[in-house]
Amino acid sequence: MAYTYSYPHPAVTVDIAIFTIRDDALQVLLIKRAQPPYRGEWALPGGFVGLEESLKHAAWRELKEETGVNAVYLEQLFTFGHPQRDPRERVISVAYFALIPSDKLQIKAASDAADVGWFSIDAIPELAFDHKKILTKALERVAAKFNYSTIAFQLMPETFTMPQLQHVYEVMTQVPIDKRNFRKRMLSLNVIEPTGEESRAGAHRPAKLYRVLDRNKVDHIK
Amino acid sequence: MAYTYSYPHPAVTVDIAIFTIRDDALQVLLIKRAQPPYRGEWALPGGFVGLEESLKHAAWRELKEETGVNAVYLEQLFTFGHPQRDPRERVISVAYFALIPSDKLQIKAASDAADVGWFSIDAIPELAFDHKKILTKALERVAAKFNYSTIAFQLMPETFTMPQLQHVYEVMTQVPIDKRNFRKRMLSLNVIEPTGEESRAGAHRPAKLYRVLDRNKVDHIK
DNA sequence: GCAAAAGTGTTATCCCTACACCCATGA
DNA sequence: TCATGGGTGTAGGGATAACACTTTTGC
């Protein structure tokens, strides 16, 4: 089977930086490449775009293949097209990033741990292709969005405590926050409500649990 | 001459929304298509990405072909890849936008006015392909950036007055601004300086001229 | 009872907004 | 001299930032 064109065509892929919070750290899903090029090296999950599917559909498909998850936040990041970014042929990659709540993680990523794994963003190995650049840009974008949107809640589980939420903010933006001011700021957004439950988690006062009002909405604030 | 691949490849184009301020209005450059599909309709300038050139290079090339300009602000906008966005074959378009200072406009766009033209953004004709969507997204991005960056100065000529600058802001963001507050805000950015010259332009007090300190720098503010 | 983390209010500061009159020019 | 648009300062309000002690639990 061969496909012929009257002028040269590049290949087009999607690559996805999939983030979650695990063990109090921001982590990204990486895959160990089974085929050359860069065989044995870690890379962002991705693959070729089908001729009949949209870019977002391709991204969803890859995301689901790797994580089993579907209802998560997915956003187009940037398109990388340096002529030599893939040694095989000209490959243009449309990069996406996804945010997955910690409690939606499926076993998939853990099951065959040899070739799929979560990596804390301050312990990223060498990456294949230009995936380091993609990851860096994704982190920049997400961190920036924390400051002017309610994107952070896309990383939170069904119920969560205020200190947990604050921790996510601090991990992502790398700046410590005053907990009283943080609490006021979050509550004034009107996107979360207390569940009435509490989380008892050790030798200290229990924390009140909150829940997101509308999981599918990401507001632009200010 | 034919190019053969073992699996199907899409075509990849760049399309550019080129903005400038002309006649006190925000305008975009459009091209009347000489070939089908959409022959005779207006479209954003664009073209196929060469196999050996980067995406940005392709955008620069198209930009220069149409405007003769090279030193302007150019930013990747979004990649559009709906499977049916082009009736010929699968075409994925990496969209860019460019901002050109009004005094850098070359004669090119005016010379053969039949097939190239500047259109005020509130008088855009029907556009070919999904170019309306691209243009809308470009306008959203630029307007948003006006509020958190110094991107506005990319539209200003070598020297300009404060009322001119304010007008650009008002045209772009669609909100009237108090001129005293505006002046303070602009000066506090520390990116412009008075030239010492004045602009005499009618039966009224002359306006002081300003110049951008570093034309190539676009700051992220706040 | 003690260590550990959660919860809670008030004050000061800064930034943004609102607002009105005089000035320089060309006709 | 008059019409036109350019230039200038201050005061109030709202949002943000700084800051310390009490509460609840498990061991």
Side-chain angles (χ1 to χ4, degrees), chain A residues 120-138:
Chain A
S120 176
I121 51 137
D122 39 39
I124 300 292
E126 284 289 301
L127 297 184
F129 307 106
D130 54 357
H131 287 189
K132 184 81 179 191
K133 258 173 66 181
I134 298 178
L135 181 55
T136 300
K137 201 166 187 106

Side-chain angles (χ1 to χ4, degrees), chain A residues 7-10 90 92, chain B residues 10-18 31 33 43-51 53-66 80 85-86 88-96 129 131 134:
Chain A
Y7 58 97
H9 282 42
R90 178 72 190 275
I92 288 166
Chain B
V12 176
T13 60
V14 294
D15 289 309
I16 319 179
I18 305 169
I31 289 191
R33 288 184 58 80
L44 296 173
F48 292 97
V49 176
L51 256 219
E53 68 179 347
S54 69
L55 298 171
K56 192 150 205 172
H57 183 275
W60 276 121
R61 184 172 48 72
E62 294 293 337
L63 182 60
K64 191 152 190 182
E65 279 174 18
E66 300 305 336
F80 296 81
R85 59 177 296 283
D86 192 307
R88 293 166 293 185
E89 63 173 321
R90 179 72 189 275
V91 178
I92 288 166
S93 171
V94 183
Y96 282 76
F129 307 105
H131 287 190
I134 298 178

Side-chain angles (χ1 to χ4, degrees), chain A residues 1-12 48-55 76-84 89-92 94 96 141 148 222, chain B residues 1-12 48-55 76-84 89-92 94 96 141 148 222:
Chain A
M1 194 77 176
Y3 298 85
T4 302
Y5 306 91
S6 55
Y7 58 97
H9 282 42
V12 176
F48 292 97
V49 176
L51 255 220
E52 297 299 332
E53 68 179 349
S54 69
L55 298 170
Q76 193 186 112
L77 174 65
F78 195 79
T79 298
F80 295 81
H82 190 280
Q84 278 83 45
E89 63 173 321
R90 178 72 190 275
V91 179
I92 288 166
V94 183
Y96 282 76
R141 172 84 64 90
Y148 63 85
K222 255 195 310 183
Chain B
M1 194 78 175
Y3 299 85
T4 301
Y5 305 91
S6 55
Y7 58 96
H9 282 42
V12 176
F48 292 97
V49 176
L51 256 219
E52 298 299 334
E53 68 179 347
S54 69
L55 298 171
Q76 192 186 113
L77 174 65
F78 196 79
T79 298
F80 296 81
H82 190 280
Q84 278 84 46
E89 63 173 321
R90 179 72 189 275
V91 178
I92 288 166
V94 183
Y96 282 76
R141 172 84 63 91
Y148 64 85
K222 255 196 310 183

Side-chain angles (χ1 to χ4, degrees), chain A residues 35-150:
Chain A
Q35 307 293 335
Y38 297 101
R39 180 184 213 142
E41 289 193 37
W42 293 97
L44 296 173
F48 292 97
V49 176
L51 255 220
E52 297 299 332
E53 68 179 349
S54 69
L55 298 170
K56 192 151 205 171
H57 183 276
W60 277 119
R61 184 172 48 71
E62 294 292 337
L63 183 59
K64 190 152 190 181
E65 279 174 19
E66 300 305 336
T67 64
V69 165
N70 47 13
V72 300
Y73 184 81
L74 180 68
E75 177 179 321
Q76 193 186 112
L77 174 65
F78 195 79
T79 298
F80 295 81
H82 190 280
Q84 278 83 45
R85 60 178 294 284
D86 191 307
R88 294 166 293 185
E89 63 173 321
R90 178 72 190 275
V91 179
I92 288 166
S93 171
V94 183
Y96 282 76
F97 71 89
L99 304 182
I100 304 193
S102 32
D103 62 347
K104 285 233 179 106
L105 296 178
Q106 306 282 346
I107 36 167
K108 174 67 180 154
S111 60
D112 40 357
D115 60 350
V116 182
W118 291 102
F119 289 77
S120 176
I121 51 137
D122 39 39
I124 300 292
E126 284 289 301
L127 297 184
F129 307 106
D130 54 357
H131 287 189
K132 184 81 179 191
K133 258 173 66 181
I134 298 178
L135 181 55
T136 300
K137 201 166 187 106
L139 285 167
E140 286 169 3
R141 172 84 64 90
V142 177
K145 285 213 153 192
F146 262 57
N147 292 316
Y148 63 85
S149 79
T150 58

